[in-house]
């Protein structure tokens, strides 16, 4: 049984990927520093799969701890989620973002080199494209100057990985996520935003749950059919399965280059107002919202061309937007 390390494996996308890895027959070990996740997620993963992953409460910036981990664990591949990911916060605290996201990655890659581990999946983001000049966005769309230090750490991360693949035995795939939403059908794991949610869906579900008074829609003067910004909202379970497909590609040595990257989205764009109306329809709940000014750094529209992932990873989304929104609402109702 192949043993896969998932860093940040107690986070939103990480935990859903751990579940899919276990169900695909992999042994999973998690490293997480619990700064942006909760230890209860470990038990909830076990409730879903009846397999409790090994867990190490480590910070990847602690070189000594990380080296000890790799000296005592034989790993066949790594899926790397552990990073700070709040766009707005990264603008206020750039050095914390560069120190955490870049140092963690470099130390991890050094250990991979020293322990001859060659299969690496990197959690990247569609923010590397900025406002793409053509839609849907393909992998050939140019990478644009990042709008935030967070987005920049993803771009720099990809460059570091690309150079390391050239120099060492490393084979890597970067998955450029669009907007992950929803929760596992068991409703035992889901998104756990700390504090006031930055992202649209958790803000919507917390407003519907009465935790937030009103959703602010950031701008309705965009050049889109209804004036609100368009994104590609992908069910987090579909996103998790894309990681399994990418990992299997490397394990089976089917990759065409040592460093590859794929857009992971549904291929369909939805505006903020369309999301609100879909949520109201799925939950039969009216949502309290108001239109306010644009949010700094937001792009007008971003949705994926999924041709490459479909043909090379043999992967495509299976869940609908309504299923994602319904699972997000069911998950919200379970939160105390
Ligand atoms: C979606 C749309 C907002 C909140 C970010 C990161 C990306 C990834 C996903 C990590 C936008 C609007 C939002 C609100 C609103 N994160 N909105 N009111 O900005 O597309 O992507 O999260 O990998 O890297 O950049 O997602 O959910 O914040 O916003 O109107 O209270 O909803 O303006 O149009 P975004 P989001």
């Amino acid at each position: 049984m192949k043993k896969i390390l998932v860093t940040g494996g107690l986070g939103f996308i990480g935990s859903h990927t751990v579940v899919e890895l276990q169900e695909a027959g992999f042994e999973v070990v998690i490293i997480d520093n619990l700064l942006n996740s909760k230890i209860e997620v470990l038990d909830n993963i076990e409730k879903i799969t009846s397999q409790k992953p090994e867990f190490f409460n480590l910070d990847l910036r602690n070189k000594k701890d990380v080296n000890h981990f790799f000296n005592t664990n034989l790993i066949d591949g790594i899926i790397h989620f552990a990073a700070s990911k709040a766009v707005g916060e990264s603008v206020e605290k750039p050095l914390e973002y560069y120190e955490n996201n870049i140092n963690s990655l470099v130390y991890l890659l050094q250990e991979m080199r020293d322990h001859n581990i060659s299969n690496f999946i990197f959690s990247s983001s569609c923010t590397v494209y900025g406002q793409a000049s053509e839609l849907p966005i393909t992998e050939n769309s140019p990478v644009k100057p990042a709008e935030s230090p967070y987005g920049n750490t993803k771009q720099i991360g990809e460059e570091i990985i690309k150079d390391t693949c050239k120099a060492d035995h490393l084979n890597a795939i970067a998955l450029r996520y669009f907007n992950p939403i929803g929760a596992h059908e068991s409703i035992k794991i889901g998104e756990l935003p700390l504090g006031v949610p930055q992202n649209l869906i958790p803000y919507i579900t917390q407003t519907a749950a009465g935790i937030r008074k009103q959703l602010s829609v950031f701008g309705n003067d965009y050049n889109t059919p209804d004036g609100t910004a368009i994104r590609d909202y992908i069910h987090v379970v579909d996103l998790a399965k894309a990681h399994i497909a990418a990992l299997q590609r490397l394990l089976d040595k089917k990759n065409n280059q040592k460093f590859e990257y794929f857009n992971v989205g549904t291929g369909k764009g939805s505006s903020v107002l369309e999301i609100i109306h879909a949520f109201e329809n799925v939950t039969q709940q009216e949502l309290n919202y108001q239109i306010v000014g644009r949010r700094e750094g937001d792009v007008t529209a971003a949705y994926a061309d999924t041709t490459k992932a479909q043909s090379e990873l043999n992967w495509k989304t299976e869940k609908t937007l309504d299923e994602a929104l319904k699972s997000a609402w069911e998950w919200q109702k379970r939160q105390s």
Side-chain angles (χ1 to χ4, degrees):
M1 188 188 260
K2 298 276 185 200
K3 188 169 185 179
I4 306 301
L5 166 62
V6 180
T7 72
L10 295 184
F12 174 40
I13 306 168
S15 56
H16 285 83
T17 303
V18 168
V19 165
E20 298 307 325
L21 279 168
Q22 290 183 321
E23 293 187 346
F26 291 97
E27 184 185 352
V28 177
V29 54
I30 293 171
I31 286 179
D32 199 304
N33 64 9
L34 295 172
L35 283 181
N36 194 18
S37 55
K38 294 183 176 154
I39 189 65
E40 293 83 356
V41 172
L42 193 62
D43 291 336
N44 292 335
I45 290 171
E46 185 182 11
K47 284 180 190 148
I48 296 171
T49 64
S50 311
Q51 304 167 58
K52 185 164 193 171
E54 260 187 292
F55 169 64
F56 293 83
N57 179 359
L58 297 183
D59 191 311
L60 292 176
R61 290 167 291 188
N62 185 320
K63 291 178 93 166
K64 196 162 104 349
D65 287 353
V66 174
N67 178 259
H68 176 70
F69 170 86
F70 283 98
N71 287 337
T72 51
N73 287 277
L74 269 181
I75 300 294
D76 297 294
I78 298 180
I79 303 182
H80 178 48
F81 293 102
S84 304
K85 62 141 214 155
V87 172
E89 184 187 50
S90 77
V91 175
E92 289 151 32
K93 304 174 182 171
L95 287 178
E96 287 181 36
Y97 270 67
Y98 288 115
E99 191 255 352
N100 184 27
N101 294 4
I102 303 300
N103 287 2
S104 298
L105 174 65
V106 170
Y107 297 159
L108 198 54
L109 293 175
Q110 287 173 327
E111 293 297 338
M112 291 185 76
R113 176 197 59 200
D114 300 347
H115 292 83
N116 211 22
I117 304 167
S118 59
N119 303 307
F120 188 66
I121 307 295
F122 179 62
S123 167
S124 190
S125 171
C126 64
T127 41
V128 302
Y129 298 114
Q131 177 53 69
S133 35
E134 278 179 38
L135 292 167
I137 302 174
T138 71
E139 286 80 357
N140 300 322
S141 303
V143 171
K144 296 241 181 95
E147 307 261 347
S148 69
Y150 159 75
N152 208 19
T153 65
K154 292 301 179 185
Q155 288 184 13
I156 296 166
E158 288 193 8
E159 290 301 310
I160 290 170
I161 295 163
K162 189 165 67 176
D163 289 344
T164 308
C165 287
K166 275 190 209 135
D168 297 331
H169 56 270
L170 188 71
N171 288 286
I173 292 178
L175 296 181
R176 294 173 173 175
Y177 308 157
F178 281 71
N179 292 52
I181 66 169
H184 187 266
E185 61 190 8
S186 65
I187 315 297
K188 293 190 187 314
I189 53 176
E191 196 166 3
L192 287 167
L194 297 182
V196 179
Q198 298 304 304
N199 293 131
L200 179 65
I201 303 310
Y203 206 104
I204 285 178
T205 59
Q206 288 192 12
T207 302
I211 298 167
R212 307 291 162 202
K213 250 167 61 328
Q214 183 180 56
L215 168 76
S216 297
V217 174
F218 297 142
N220 68 344
D221 58 349
Y222 285 99
N223 180 18
T224 62
D226 65 17
T228 61
I230 292 171
R231 296 290 185 277
D232 183 334
Y233 297 92
I234 176 171
H235 195 298
V236 65
V237 172
D238 280 331
L239 176 59
K241 289 180 176 174
H243 292 78
I244 315 310
L247 175 68
Q248 203 59 61
R249 178 178 174 86
L250 294 182
L251 291 172
D252 297 345
K253 301 192 187 325
K254 287 192 176 149
N255 50 312
N256 301 323
Q257 285 93 28
K258 286 173 78 24
F259 176 63
E260 296 179 317
Y261 44 89
F262 296 88
N263 289 349
V264 184
T266 66
K268 185 181 173 308
S270 302
S271 73
V272 177
L273 285 177
E274 285 171 333
I275 292 293
I276 290 170
H277 298 143
F279 181 82
E280 290 178 324
N281 179 42
V282 150
T283 61
Q284 290 303 299
Q285 293 230 109
E286 200 177 327
L287 195 78
N288 181 13
Y289 68 91
Q290 64 167 344
I291 307 286
V292 300
R294 294 184 179 191
R295 177 173 67 177
E296 189 66 30
D298 275 347
V299 297
T300 300
Y303 51 94
D305 178 313
T306 58
T307 313
K308 190 180 172 191
Q310 289 194 38
S311 57
E312 307 265 344
L313 295 182
N314 190 25
W315 166 91
K316 64 181 172 52
T317 51
E318 294 159 1
K319 294 185 177 290
T320 64
L321 175 67
D322 283 356
E323 283 173 289
L325 293 171
K326 183 141 186 54
S327 63
W329 177 232
E330 292 306 318
W331 167 251
Q332 179 65 60
K333 289 189 287 184
R334 298 281 180 98
Q335 304 315 303
S336 48

